[in-house]
Amino acid sequence: MTDTLQVDIWRGDTNGGSYSRYAVPAQESQTILDVVTWVQRHAEPGLAYRFACRVGMCGSCAMMVNGAPRWTCRTHVRKASKDGKLTIAPLRNMPVVKDLVCDMAEFFDKWIKAGSVFTPTETRNDPMAAIKPDEPDRMNANAAIECINCGVCYAGCDTVEANPDYLGPAALNRAWTLVNDRRDGAGSERLSTISKAGGCHSCHTHQSCAALCPNLLNPTASIAGLKRKTAKAALGLGTRR
Amino acid sequence: MKLPPHRRDPLRIAAAVQRLSGLALALFLPAHFLVLGLAIESPEALDSFLSLTQNPVVKVAEIGLVLLLGLHFFGGLRLLAVEFLPWSPRQKTYAAGALAAAITLSCCFLLSVTG
Ligand code: SF4
Ligand code: SF4
Ligand code: FES
């Protein structure tokens, strides 16, 4: 392992920009976020980037690292680069605000569009819904629920790149958790929104999102579930909600 | 040409193979029908065209065509399973199976034309 990392970081804003090169001291167990932080503290105080928790909880630190979207606080330099060279850029498929900070507004707007807001059927005065952990619906939701909204899957999805209307893996994955939530009352509207153009049927089943998700979620599986549900609903079968 | 890292997963490559084989077959089909159409218009022209298929280069191209067909067919079955059957964690095994089936099919074809 080299003593010094050769790090190219994208600097610029909405009008464009270019890579600047920095020499960063290599350390044991160093993460990509450590590298970016070193650059900001020692070489480039004006460097803009986002992070908060540093432990893979908040989903704010994702960037393109040597061409792949990654959560940088939990990605070791060793894993991303064999030769000590790093190229760090803002996430793909989102407009840049400055340097490594991208505008996630559209990403989150699409969550809302996909019907990602829970619509309760009961109030706080009703007794708590008894949902068993091993109910099939609950197990479906379980597999998809730990999303940290990091945008890694969205940045890795070629359909998002090609089709600006496509809601994307994260938003549809969230919709799938609610489709499986029997306390939610917006099921049929949600299914009809996500069957439209840009919804689940726009997914090309690349499975890149599943290969890239740092939390090991499988948006492709969730979207396949939505495809089956919407197909059934269109045929008038199994529209429970 | 090096694939960008977000496209290197075997299943992502399988998705691309599905598209590209479909595109190649779609380009081949009109030519295929055109040649078949010769049977109605002028059987002699068809015969002389078909004699071309004895050419080894054309034979190799035919094997390629069978491979494309196999890839698209078995890969298509895999996709239908992904979308309409309950999710299975063995996606890569299925993709490898589709590839193996396509290669077997084109080998069978190779044996039948050389045998
Ligand atoms: S499987 Fe669907 S959501 Fe995932 S990367 Fe492909 S198109 Fe995007
Ligand atoms: S599904 Fe995974 S990759 Fe996509 S936003 Fe959620 S945690 Fe990130
Ligand atoms: S900083 Fe919170 S997930 Fe990386």
Side-chain angles (χ1 to χ4, degrees):
Chain A
M1 177 130 174
T2 51
D3 303 340
T4 313
L5 306 170
Q6 175 191 305
V7 186
D8 291 331
I9 296 186
W10 197 88
R11 305 238 31 227
D13 54 26
T14 30
N15 301 317
S18 59
Y19 286 95
S20 301
R21 181 160 293 178
Y22 306 92
V24 179
Q27 278 175 352
E28 195 53 37
S29 304
Q30 189 174 21
T31 65
I32 304 296
L33 186 64
D34 293 336
V35 169
V36 174
T37 302
W38 189 94
V39 171
Q40 197 262 342
R41 292 206 184 144
H42 299 278
E44 196 68 75
L47 177 68
Y49 67 109
R50 273 198 200 108
F51 75 98
C53 71
R54 300 178 293 119
V55 289
M57 303 279 291
C58 70
S60 59
C61 66
M63 301 165 199
M64 302 299 290
V65 182
N66 288 358
R70 289 182 180 279
W71 55 355
T72 58
C73 69
R74 303 255 335 244
T75 305
H76 279 185
V77 171
R78 224 176 338 102
K79 188 168 178 209
S81 162
K82 299 277 169 272
D83 57 2
K85 290 187 185 150
L86 288 170
T87 304
I88 306 176
L91 277 186
R92 207 171 144 251
N93 296 339
M94 296 183 199
V96 176
V97 178
K98 183 175 184 293
D99 302 339
L100 300 173
V101 175
C102 49
D103 183 353
M104 297 183 82
E106 195 181 20
F107 172 72
F108 287 114
D109 286 347
K110 286 178 177 176
W111 280 59
I112 305 294
K113 264 199 208 144
S116 297
V117 179
F118 176 65
T119 311
T121 43
E122 291 175 342
T123 72
R124 65 179 66 213
N125 303 318
D126 294 308
M128 221 173 2
I131 297 179
K132 294 204 191 78
D134 56 355
E135 282 176 29
D137 282 0
R138 175 63 219 185
M139 307 242 288
N140 282 338
N142 251 4
I145 216 156
E146 296 286 349
C147 174
I148 56 170
N149 313 8
C150 64
V152 163
C153 54
Y154 189 84
C157 173
D158 286 317
T159 305
V160 169
E161 184 187 28
N163 174 1
D165 292 332
Y166 179 47
L167 296 171
L172 291 169
N173 179 71
R174 162 69 180 164
W176 174 242
T177 63
L178 289 178
V179 163
N180 284 290
D181 189 336
R182 98 171 113 77
R183 302 163 309 158
D184 179 274
S188 47
E189 298 94 274
R190 186 176 297 108
L191 283 184
S192 88
T193 333
I194 56 183
S195 348
K196 298 210 174 89
C200 61
H201 297 287
S202 298
C203 166
H204 287 217
T205 318
H206 302 133
Q207 311 198 36
S208 319
C209 49
L212 292 165
C213 173
N215 259 355
L216 307 180
L217 301 189
N218 189 340
T220 316
S222 302
I223 295 169
L226 289 174
K227 285 177 178 169
R228 289 195 293 274
K229 275 256 169 160
T230 49
K232 271 192 192 157
L235 296 172
L237 307 165
T239 43
R240 183 159 50 84
R241 286 184 296 269
Chain B
M1 196 192 73
K2 241 179 128 192
L3 282 177
H6 71 277
R7 291 190 191 135
R8 271 183 220 157
D9 189 73
L11 292 170
R12 176 67 184 82
I13 296 171
V17 167
Q18 189 69 22
R19 293 305 143 111
L20 295 175
S21 59
L23 200 65
L25 290 170
L27 291 176
F28 162 76
L29 267 184
H32 183 60
F33 288 137
L34 211 64
V35 171
L36 289 185
L38 286 178
I40 305 169
E41 282 186 4
S42 118
E44 306 81 51
L46 178 68
D47 282 341
S48 76
F49 189 88
L50 286 183
S51 64
L52 265 184
T53 56
Q54 296 312 315
N55 186 321
V57 179
V58 179
K59 282 261 180 291
V60 172
E62 279 181 328
I63 293 163
L65 204 61
V66 173
L67 182 67
L68 283 178
L69 196 72
L71 286 171
H72 199 69
F73 178 77
F74 294 111
L77 288 182
R78 178 184 74 88
L79 282 181
L80 284 175
V82 169
E83 314 222 319
F84 290 105
L85 300 180
W87 187 261
S88 153
R90 292 151 100 185
Q91 296 297 323
K92 287 188 186 158
T93 311
Y94 294 154
L99 177 66
I103 292 175
T104 312
L105 185 71
S106 49
C107 287
C108 292
F109 181 74
L110 179 69
L111 288 178
S112 76
V113 291
T114 54

